[in-house]
Amino acid sequence: MVGVRDGVPLDLGPPLQQAGAAMLATRSGRVVTLPQLIEGLWGDDPPLSAAQSVYTYVAGLRRAFEPGRGRREPPRTVVKAPGGYLLRLDPLRTDVHLFAARLEAADQARGSGDLPSALRALDEALALWRGPALSGVPGPFADGERARLDELHVLAVEARAEVLTGLGRPEDALAALHDLTRRHPLRERPRELLMLALHASGRQAEALQVFEEARRVLADELGADPGEGLRRAHRLALISPVEPPARHVTGGQGAAEVAAPAHEADAQASSPSREGFVPRQLPRALAGFVGRTREIVRLRSLLDPRGDEAPHPFVVICGAPGVGKSTLAVRVAHAVRHRFPDGQLYVNLRGGTPNVPRPSAYEVLSRLLRGLGTPDNALPADEDEAAALLRSALHGRRLLVLLDDAAGLAQVRPFTAAPPGTTVLVTSRESLVTGADRAQVRLGPLPDAEATAMLAHLAGADRVAADLGQTGRLVRLCDGFPLALRIAGARLADRPDWSVGALTERLTDERRRLRELEAGELAVRSSLAASWTALSGSAREIDAAAARLLALLGLLHVPDITLEAAAALSGGSETDVERALERLCDAHLLEAGEPGRYHPHDLVRLFASDLLPAGERTAPLLRAFGFYAESVRAAARSSDPHRVHCLYPPVEATGRSFRDAAEADGWLRTEEATLLAAAFQAMADPDDGVARAGAAIGAALWWYQQKSYRVRHLVATGERLVATGERLQDEVIAMHGHAHLATGLYFKGDPASVTHNERHLALAKRLGDRFNEQRAHGNLSSTLLKWERFEEALDHALAQRAIAREIGSDVGERYALLVAGRAYLELGRFDEAAGVLEEGAAMAERAGDPHSRVEFAVWQGRALIDMGRLDTACSVLSETLEPARSTSRTTEMACLVHLTRVHRLLGQLGEAVRRSAEAVAVAERAGSSYWLERAIAERDEAASAQRPARTRRRG
């Protein structure tokens, strides 16, 4: 693997670092997650140090890519992204993407008959090869990528040979084809192309010899006979060489006469339809088509299979409005038209065209018959008779029928039983039922790389490459939908003074995004409106219910929604709502994820947000947000029944229930993004009742966010709770907001956490809320410990204990004993620390509170270290480590740091170094500067102690 910067080769480091570079480069512009990197480098059995090794390799790549970057300067090429890393590099600056782009250009040129341009593109693609792909690069990803690229290389060589033969230059193809047959003796396609090239060169005997050798090798090695492609070439070679039929092909240098590919000439010679009228009704393929590589491969495998397999009889391309179904269908139809020498028919069924009547089945049959040359006076008046006549007209012919924009299966059912030889290709916004004789290819949004390439073609590569960050945002704002991207590209092309960032900023405002995505007759809104109107105006009850549900879903600004939440939103039964959700999925207005989970694309959500009248929005929002609030409360109680969870403000709703803590924790992790989005949306709502429901969700998330160390979420939720409380003049909401915010700032290492804890305490006193008063004292004590104000911390801990005893709060007293013990330790009062920690541990044991037991054990271990009882401390902390991992991130970090220290003091330096590395990694992932500082200090102490020990051993 080779990297070059400004003409100078880069040192990409050791082989595994090169493998990481390969993964990032092949997915440039997209996030590669840490688990993906680990699996790609080591597979199913990574070493324990895999994550740390990845960090090291990323640091090495950053040094290689940006050698002049200062230590405090953020990286610009390999950047941290949510969950992993991102290579900020124009995909076309990597050979693998440039190779794919040139192959795609060649494929487009071949599909449009421009063979000279196809040859140029193939030559440019093959010139990128310098030897075996990823040579010497290890790992499962490199192995798979190497195999994929080798296969693409062979396909490119085959395509070049076929194009050369088509251009009347078969001799130029012979050397490469001989080499391919030598390296791939069991591959039939190179031998087929070699026979055709030899035949076109007038070397009939050699062509026949290639066939005999192929037959012998296949029989000896596989026990198989040659396939249809080889047999067809053999039949052609048996004919004495003649000048193949000429045809005009428009290339980059003007018109030229070139020979038709031999297999097409053979098909033309044997086709009965050549005696009469041959329809060529396909619309012109869209210029500058890019992307959809995977879907094109799948469609071509159905419509242009290798060997003697016949094309599939009925193929459906389905997907959401604006996803590019028709464009892809026309593109592929042109590319495979050689398989249908008797013609190609086309009818627009107008299933998604608003305010225009759809053609009836009889009208479609009549158009197809006319397309086959049937005069008007010969058309039957009856639909069944017309269908019978069409079947007769199609019999024995090889035709492609493209039925574009079908409203549903009913509109195309008369064409599902076409005679053998005819293939029907359908596009539809609906998922059409598949069967043994039907295949369906579903289109989703374009991948980021393909969407970027589309924008580059429309707006100019230089403008797109000038700011890849803004281009990535624009792709995301367009949801990867080709229609939206075409409009965005057209607007940029029409405004040469605009940067990509200028348009991105205009689209960022959700209120105007759909208005901005209009250009001429193209508009995202009207495309989506056609699908919704078809549902809302339908006589079918399920269609009307689906249309109503989409309008309700547009109220929620959440990443996805479960069946339970959708039922709460609608107020209907889960059975009825599930049917409506699935109907929306069939119409591609909604995406189904894991079972029971659904989400609309952002552009669909924005469209749906305007469907419901303003007066009908409050009741469904209260139902949905109330469901979320009560569900979070139930999950928090199930996750830790020993804590007192916030039940304010009250909501009138029913949430879901949970069997145990594991189910509750799993639900909270899965729903976390949705719950945050719902809480933030609701708290920003102008309706006071809706805002209170949002505050209920946010306040109920406190314990989960604290346990999971969600620092950013704690701060953001706390800020919104405080603002909502002040807006509603509700001091209870504001009080909980200050507690929430103080916790996040404490984890963040921000001294302002003291101020917010003090506000929590002041509000609790003013409200006469003794429970929150003692809780505020405890949180203030813990915060002051972090800022080394130990005496004050002890005072607040003792104040908490006094109030907790007064009101009978065991959980409050236990926490007071924990923070008091920590304060005593920092003040050097070890016996008093041991006493209160032992008392608190006993209370936790009696209460059956596993979280508290683990926390006390960690700090008892620390006390034992300070008291010099190292063996006992090591035993306690080692036994506590695994339970600490499932208690909270803070408890895990504390346990690892204390365990590192005791191993170091016991002289167990190897174990100390190992635990310190783990502590550093956990603290880095959590983003805890407090524990990271302590973990690094212990690591350095252990490493420093290790060096003299090694020196003594060598001496």
Side-chain angles (χ1 to χ4, degrees):
M1 184 172 177
V2 177
V4 178
R5 181 186 180 89
D6 298 329
V8 179
L10 298 178
D11 179 7
L12 296 180
L16 279 174
Q17 185 168 302
Q18 294 181 36
M23 290 189 71
L24 292 167
T26 55
R27 304 175 189 182
S28 55
R30 291 180 290 165
V31 175
V32 182
T33 66
L34 181 61
Q36 288 172 337
L37 283 165
I38 291 174
E39 183 180 358
L41 269 57
W42 291 282
D44 296 332
D45 189 25
L48 291 175
S49 60
Q52 189 61 46
S53 296
V54 169
Y55 302 146
T56 302
Y57 297 149
V58 167
L61 290 174
R62 285 170 172 169
R63 288 192 296 272
F65 292 152
E66 301 177 60
R69 180 171 61 90
R71 291 184 59 188
R72 297 184 179 276
E73 187 179 351
R76 297 184 302 276
T77 306
V78 181
V79 298
K80 190 78 173 69
Y85 296 94
L86 174 77
L87 178 63
R88 279 186 177 163
L89 187 68
D90 180 357
L92 295 183
R93 293 180 64 184
T94 61
D95 284 357
V96 64
H97 288 293
L98 188 56
F99 178 65
R102 301 321 299 146
L103 290 187
E104 176 64 22
D107 202 27
Q108 292 180 30
R110 292 173 70 197
S112 62
D114 187 357
L115 296 187
S117 295
L119 181 61
R120 282 195 298 276
L122 287 165
D123 284 340
E124 290 169 2
L126 291 169
L128 297 169
W129 282 75
R130 303 177 180 88
L134 298 174
S135 179
V137 178
F141 172 81
D143 292 342
E145 187 69 1
R146 191 161 30 245
R148 184 183 75 87
L149 291 172
D150 287 347
E151 173 65 15
L152 285 177
H153 182 258
V154 171
L155 291 172
V157 174
E158 291 174 349
R160 183 176 185 274
E162 186 174 8
V163 169
L164 283 168
T165 302
L167 285 168
R169 297 167 51 190
E171 296 88 351
D172 294 341
L174 294 177
L177 291 172
H178 278 300
D179 181 59
L180 272 188
T181 58
R182 177 183 57 79
R183 291 189 290 114
H184 303 278
L186 300 180
R187 193 179 181 103
E188 294 190 37
R189 181 64 172 160
R191 294 182 186 274
E192 175 191 345
L193 292 170
L194 180 57
M195 291 180 66
L196 295 172
L198 288 168
H199 175 262
S201 302
R203 297 156 69 172
Q204 181 185 27
E206 291 177 65
L208 294 173
Q209 184 179 356
V210 170
F211 181 80
E212 291 304 321
E213 181 184 356
R215 181 157 57 184
R216 176 182 56 76
V217 170
L218 292 170
D220 291 348
E221 298 293 333
L222 303 177
D225 293 328
E228 172 59 25
L230 277 171
R231 294 201 302 272
R232 186 169 58 230
H234 184 239
R235 289 195 300 271
L236 193 64
L238 290 172
I239 305 170
S240 59
V242 294
E243 185 69 22
R247 63 181 179 182
H248 283 277
V249 175
T250 302
Q253 303 300 318
E257 282 201 351
V258 300
H263 68 274
E264 189 171 330
D266 182 44
Q268 291 171 0
S270 62
S271 170
S273 70
R274 297 295 167 182
E275 299 172 3
F277 179 69
V278 179
R280 305 290 189 193
Q281 294 185 348
L282 293 177
R284 180 179 62 83
L286 183 68
F289 182 95
V290 295
R292 295 295 186 200
T293 304
R294 181 177 301 176
E295 292 86 352
I296 288 173
V297 170
R298 170 65 176 151
L299 288 165
R300 294 196 67 160
S301 73
L302 293 168
L303 300 172
D304 185 17
R306 293 192 178 279
D308 56 358
E309 186 179 352
H312 203 285
F314 194 89
V315 179
V316 178
I317 302 174
C318 65
V323 83
K325 302 176 293 295
S326 299
T327 302
L328 176 63
V330 172
R331 165 78 179 81
V332 172
H334 277 287
V336 302
R337 67 183 187 273
H338 63 273
R339 290 298 296 259
F340 305 96
D342 296 323
Q344 303 88 40
L345 298 169
Y346 173 86
V347 180
N348 185 349
L349 300 180
R350 298 198 293 269
T353 305
N355 305 318
V356 178
R358 298 167 186 160
S360 66
Y362 176 76
E363 288 176 303
V364 175
L365 290 166
S366 299
R367 291 183 191 182
L368 293 174
L369 285 168
R370 290 191 194 97
L372 291 170
T374 306
D376 286 348
N377 58 12
L379 292 175
D382 179 75
E383 180 180 319
D384 290 339
E385 290 182 9
L389 180 60
L390 179 63
R391 287 194 294 271
S392 297
L394 294 174
H395 184 74
R397 296 185 177 188
R398 285 180 286 173
L399 278 140
L400 177 65
V401 179
L402 175 51
L403 302 178
D404 193 18
D405 196 16
L409 186 62
Q411 201 176 15
V412 296
R413 186 171 282 116
F415 312 100
T416 57
T422 296
T423 288
V424 179
L425 177 60
V426 180
T427 71
S428 179
R429 301 180 179 206
E430 300 278 348
S431 288
L432 305 186
V433 178
T434 57
D437 59 346
R438 301 176 199 165
Q440 185 162 274
V441 175
R442 181 180 177 280
L443 295 191
L446 284 173
D448 287 355
E450 293 184 355
T452 300
M454 183 176 183
L455 282 173
H457 174 80
L458 293 166
D462 290 343
R463 292 173 78 185
V464 166
D467 193 340
L468 288 176
Q470 290 293 339
T471 299
R473 284 186 63 202
L474 180 56
V475 167
R476 289 189 292 274
L477 290 170
C478 291
D479 266 345
F481 275 34
L483 175 60
L485 290 163
R486 280 180 62 200
I487 294 170
R491 295 206 65 192
L492 286 171
D494 195 44
R495 304 284 198 285
D497 54 324
W498 281 11
S499 66
V500 175
L503 179 57
T504 301
E505 286 305 313
R506 299 175 73 90
L507 296 184
T508 300
D509 185 350
E510 291 191 347
R511 294 167 299 180
R512 58 189 286 188
R513 189 179 306 167
L514 291 179
R515 291 198 304 273
E516 293 290 340
L517 288 174
E518 296 179 3
E521 296 181 355
L522 295 176
V524 171
R525 188 189 300 275
S526 60
S527 178
L528 295 170
S531 290
W532 186 76
T533 302
L535 289 174
S536 61
S538 170
R540 299 175 65 211
E541 182 180 344
I542 184 60
D543 287 353
R548 168 71 179 175
L549 183 58
L550 182 65
L552 290 171
L553 291 173
L555 296 176
L556 291 180
H557 305 166
V558 295
D560 60 10
I561 190 168
T562 62
L563 171 59
E564 298 162 314
L569 176 72
S570 72
S573 71
E574 288 191 10
T575 301
D576 291 341
V577 171
E578 184 174 30
R579 290 183 64 234
L581 287 167
E582 292 298 326
R583 181 67 189 90
L584 289 172
C585 289
D586 288 343
H588 297 284
L589 291 169
L590 203 62
E591 296 289 322
E594 298 174 14
R597 302 190 73 82
Y598 305 86
H599 73 274
H601 292 290
D602 278 351
L603 293 178
V604 176
R605 179 182 58 79
L606 290 176
F607 165 76
S609 66
D610 293 332
L611 295 176
L612 205 66
E616 298 180 24
R617 60 185 301 278
T618 302
L621 284 177
L622 286 173
R623 289 194 298 264
F625 294 140
F627 165 81
Y628 284 134
E630 283 300 304
S631 296
V632 176
R633 290 170 177 174
R637 289 192 296 268
S638 296
S639 176
D640 188 353
H642 299 282
R643 299 290 175 273
V644 177
H645 299 285
C646 180
L647 301 179
Y648 188 88
V651 294
E652 295 181 6
T654 302
R656 60 159 296 171
S657 59
F658 302 91
R659 293 187 300 271
D660 51 33
E663 184 185 17
D665 287 340
W667 183 83
L668 285 166
R669 281 193 300 272
T670 302
E671 294 293 324
E672 182 175 9
T674 295
L675 295 170
L676 276 174
F680 292 178
Q681 178 193 346
M683 283 190 278
D685 197 276
D687 183 271
D688 289 357
V690 174
R692 289 182 186 280
I697 302 170
L701 283 168
W702 186 36
W703 175 243
Y704 167 74
Q705 291 176 340
Q706 188 176 166
K707 182 176 72 169
S708 304
Y709 213 85
R710 300 292 197 262
V711 180
R712 184 165 52 86
H713 295 163
L714 279 163
V715 172
T717 308
E719 288 174 340
R720 283 166 173 79
L721 282 167
V722 170
T724 302
E726 291 173 351
R727 182 191 118 199
L728 299 177
Q729 299 182 345
D730 189 322
E731 290 189 326
V732 180
I733 293 177
M735 177 184 68
H736 288 294
H738 284 297
H740 221 109
L741 183 51
T743 305
L745 294 173
Y746 167 83
F747 286 153
K748 191 177 179 182
D750 189 332
S753 57
V754 176
T755 302
H756 288 284
N757 273 315
E758 289 172 342
R759 290 176 183 171
H760 178 200
L761 179 59
L763 282 169
K765 288 180 176 179
R766 183 156 68 242
L767 292 165
D769 185 339
R770 295 289 276 169
F771 179 82
N772 266 288
E773 185 180 346
Q774 63 86 30
R775 173 176 273 177
H777 275 299
N779 291 337
L780 195 49
S781 174
S782 180
T783 302
L784 291 168
L785 280 173
K786 191 167 194 173
W787 303 111
E788 300 182 358
R789 294 160 62 177
F790 304 130
E791 292 284 0
E792 295 174 75
L794 181 59
D795 290 342
H796 282 287
L798 296 178
Q800 179 186 23
R801 186 181 190 188
I803 298 173
R805 278 184 162 180
E806 174 192 325
I807 64 176
S809 172
D810 271 8
V811 66
E813 186 174 1
R814 291 198 299 275
Y815 189 74
L817 290 169
L818 180 67
V819 290
R822 292 178 56 194
Y824 281 131
L825 285 173
E826 299 299 344
L827 291 168
R829 296 158 64 174
F830 301 140
D831 290 338
E832 291 169 281
V836 295
L837 290 172
E838 185 176 351
E839 184 181 357
M843 288 184 68
E845 187 68 36
R846 288 194 300 273
D849 184 347
H851 293 305
S852 286
R853 285 202 303 266
V854 171
E855 289 176 327
F856 277 109
V858 168
W859 289 100
Q860 283 178 303
R862 157 73 192 277
L864 288 166
I865 296 173
D866 289 344
M867 297 168 74
R869 297 168 59 185
L870 300 181
D871 289 328
T872 306
C874 188
S875 176
V876 168
L877 290 167
S878 297
E879 291 174 3
T880 305
L881 180 57
E882 285 309 313
R885 296 188 197 280
S886 57
T887 299
S888 72
R889 282 283 182 86
T890 306
T891 308
E892 180 186 7
M893 289 184 287
C895 190
L896 282 167
V897 169
H898 299 335
L899 198 52
T900 299
R901 183 181 173 204
V902 75
H903 281 307
R904 173 175 59 81
L905 294 173
L906 285 168
Q908 299 164 355
L909 300 180
E911 191 66 13
V913 170
R914 187 169 75 86
R915 289 302 184 194
S916 69
E918 189 178 356
V920 168
V922 173
E924 283 180 338
R925 285 199 299 272
S928 171
S929 58
Y930 178 85
W931 285 110
L932 180 61
E933 179 183 335
R934 282 149 183 77
I936 289 174
E938 284 295 340
R939 181 192 65 187
D940 293 346
E941 288 277 359
S944 178
Q946 231 181 3
R947 284 192 290 271
R950 288 174 178 165
T951 302
R952 287 194 297 272
R953 284 198 297 272
R954 285 197 295 270

